[in-house]
Each structure stands twice: as structure tokens, then as C-alpha cells.
Amino acid sequence: MRPRVAMVLAVVAVLLGSALLVPAAYAQFSDDDTGGSGGGAQSVAAPEPTAPPPPTLAAGPVSMNFSGEFFSWALMDRATGTISGSKNLASTSSTESMIKAWIVSDYLRQLGDKEPSATLKKQASLAIRDSNDDAANAVHRAAGGSYKVYPNGQPNPVIKRAISICGLTDTKRGNVSGYEGYWSFTRMSPRDAVRLGDCIANGKAAGPKWTKWVLDEMSKVRGSVKEQQLKSGGGKWGIVDGLPAEIKAQGPVSIKNGWTPLNYDGNWHVNCLTVTEKWSLAVMLRYPQKSGLSYGAKVCAGVATQLVTPQPGAALKVPQQPIGKL
């Protein structure tokens, strides 16, 4: 019995010694380094948590419960030039008033360092801020545009310059009988629309003197869906409504939408274009007139919302927010 008792006591002694050593070792590692001859171990401070970078728009899936004839979108990362979007991002629809941002840019670029007349400068502003058709027609004429139908399917000179200067690959003149030469019937894809937005933002469209002015006018587009008139109307809706305040606060958000209910096909033709320093986004739609303009505005906003994400390298991802049935 005694040897067995002795063995038990020995095991207990070992366990007790270990229990005493562990706190001592823990204390040694947690001591602050005093720099003295004792050579205490240095503590390692936990890194300060870093906030994720501000959100932006980035390529990702978009799920929409869309009811209509045509739904297409494209997003350009302006830092890399990479374009992502729906499978049909190269398919076209009529531009409507979205093209007015180019018409104004094309006219101003041709002026170089010269100033336009006070009347034409005011009309250029109204063409963008209020999407005023009469003002856009005046600037279009000043830029050298016409409604003439050119041979061999060629677009009018203003649109032809957009294709060459901005590197557009899908854009064509209108194909609706009797309206082929009209700027609003120009056929453009979302892929080309984001290229156009980038072309305006990078200075190629309006030139060094006027680029900032055009982007500033686009950031001052005004009027809601309800503020519509025969030849002008509010165009501050769509993509911009789908952006969180954190994105809007990063810098100017420049927009130009296009929207017309066309009787030849019974559809609303709605286009949303928005460009910032980081990205260019376009959404293009055709859907029954009975759905109203607000339907298209919500679709544009829903696409933007689903593409919101922190910058690459962030630890978190903003969850998608599909808007469901509209």
C-alpha cells in the first residue's frame, strides 16, 4: 500500500507544479518590456481595427423582376476600363434625351477656348439640367447636326463624332421610318453608353476647357418623375436614387436620363446614365406605357443598389438588395 500511496503523491505533486508554472509563464509573456537588465518579454499589442473603405459600385449579379420588352445594363470601372453587365449589354435601344449630354459636349469642344453666346450657353445648360428639347435642338444645330438622312446608313455628323471620339462600337442611327436622322432615335447599347459617360468624364467629349462645366451641369439635373412637361421635365431620378449617401458624398454624381413614351411600339423608352470619378453605369429599358415612368426609374435605382459594394480588399461586402416585384 505504501508504494502505491507514494506514487499517487508524486503524481499530485507534478500536477500542482504544472499548475503553478502555467500562471508564471503567462505572467512572463504579458509583462511590459521595461528595458531593464531583467529582459522581460515584449507584449504584442492587438492591431487597431480598420474600417472598410467607402462603398462604390462594382461588378456583380443583378436580379430584377422586370416586365417589359428590353432590359439591359452595363458598368464600367473607370480605373481599369473594364465593362461588366447583363448578357445583352451590346444590344441597342433608342437613346432619347440621354444623348443630350453628348450633344452639348460636342458643341462646346468645337469652341475650344472660345465662349459661346450667352443664349447658347443658357440653352446648353437647360438641355442638361431640364432636358429641354428646344434648347437641345438649338445646340444640336450649332454643333453641325441635322435631321437629314445620310446615305449608307450613316448617322448625322454629331452622332458620327460620338462614335469616333468615344470609341463606340454598337451605336447606329435610328431605324424608325421618318425619324432615322433624329438624335433621340439614335440606337445605342448600355456598353456604349458607359463608354460615352467615361468619354465625357475623361475630357475627350467636351475638351479641357468645358469638361468640368458639363459634369457640373450633369450633377445639377433637377426635377422628379412627377415634374414632366411636353418638351422638358425632371430627370433627377433612377440610378442616383439607388446610391447610398456614402457614395454621393465622395464627389460629384453626374447624370443624364432619357425617357419617352413612343406610340410606334407602345413602350416607354427609358435610359439612365450616371458617371462618377470611379465608375460609369447605364441602364436601358423598354416596357409598356401603362407601367408609367416611375416603373423605369425604380428599375434603374434597383440595378444601382444591387451593385453597391466596398472597395476591393474590404473585409465586408454590402449585401445585395433586390427590389423584387415592381
Side-chain angles (χ1 to χ4, degrees), residues 22-314:
V22 170
Y26 177 80
Q28 182 180 10
F29 280 108
S30 63
D31 282 346
D32 290 335
D33 181 17
T34 60
S37 59
Q42 295 184 9
S43 63
V44 179
E48 290 292 328
T50 57
T56 185
L57 297 192
V62 168
S63 176
M64 302 296 298
N65 190 2
F66 178 75
S67 179
E69 181 181 294
F70 181 79
F71 165 59
S72 183
W73 65 274
L75 174 70
M76 174 188 281
D77 180 335
R78 295 193 57 229
T80 64
T82 302
I83 298 175
S84 58
S86 57
K87 291 182 180 179
N88 63 341
L89 57 77
S91 299
T92 64
S93 192
S94 60
T95 61
E96 307 309 321
S97 294
M98 182 175 69
I99 198 68
K100 289 173 182 173
W102 165 258
I103 293 172
V104 169
S105 297
D106 185 52
Y107 165 65
L108 293 172
R109 187 195 65 259
Q110 293 180 66
L111 291 179
D113 292 331
K114 298 178 182 178
E115 285 284 332
S117 68
T119 298
L120 270 171
K121 190 171 185 179
K122 179 65 174 178
Q123 288 172 322
S125 175
L126 292 175
I128 294 177
R129 291 195 192 192
D130 293 333
S131 203
N132 185 288
D133 288 343
D134 291 337
N137 286 331
V139 178
H140 185 251
R141 287 192 298 271
S146 80
Y147 294 131
K148 176 183 176 182
V149 179
Y150 291 85
N152 302 319
Q154 292 296 309
N156 78 56
V158 172
I159 305 304
K160 193 172 183 178
R161 285 192 292 270
I163 294 170
S164 60
I165 291 173
C166 299
L168 310 184
T169 57
D170 311 316
T171 300
K172 306 174 182 67
R173 80 178 186 192
N175 62 351
V176 178
S177 179
Y179 297 94
E180 294 93 334
Y182 282 66
W183 48 260
S184 63
F185 282 88
T186 301
R187 289 172 289 162
M188 185 177 289
S189 67
R191 178 170 66 178
D192 273 359
V194 297
R195 289 168 174 160
L196 185 71
D198 179 62
C199 186
I200 293 171
N202 67 23
K204 290 182 180 179
K209 178 177 174 61
W210 294 105
T211 294
K212 184 177 179 181
W213 186 89
V214 171
L215 290 172
D216 185 60
E217 292 297 309
M218 292 173 69
S219 73
K220 294 176 180 175
V221 167
R222 55 200 172 193
S224 68
V225 166
K226 296 180 180 179
E227 297 177 275
Q228 299 296 307
Q229 302 174 38
L230 182 61
K231 294 186 178 182
S232 66
K236 190 176 182 180
W237 43 260
I239 290 171
V240 68
D241 293 332
L243 302 177
E246 291 83 357
I247 287 183
K248 296 176 185 178
Q250 293 173 30
V253 176
S254 301
I255 69 177
K256 187 68 197 83
N257 295 331
W259 62 101
T260 311
L262 294 175
N263 291 328
Y264 83 90
D265 66 356
N267 285 323
W268 270 103
H269 289 224
V270 173
N271 309 304
C272 301
L273 173 64
T274 300
V275 61
T276 71
E277 182 181 348
K278 298 178 180 178
W279 49 264
S280 178
L281 175 64
V283 184
M284 303 184 71
L285 314 165
R286 294 193 303 269
Y287 58 87
Q289 291 185 21
K290 64 181 181 181
S291 297
L293 178 56
S294 61
Y295 181 86
K298 290 177 182 178
V299 173
C300 290
V303 172
T305 297
Q306 292 185 60
L307 295 174
V308 173
T309 181
Q311 301 254 359

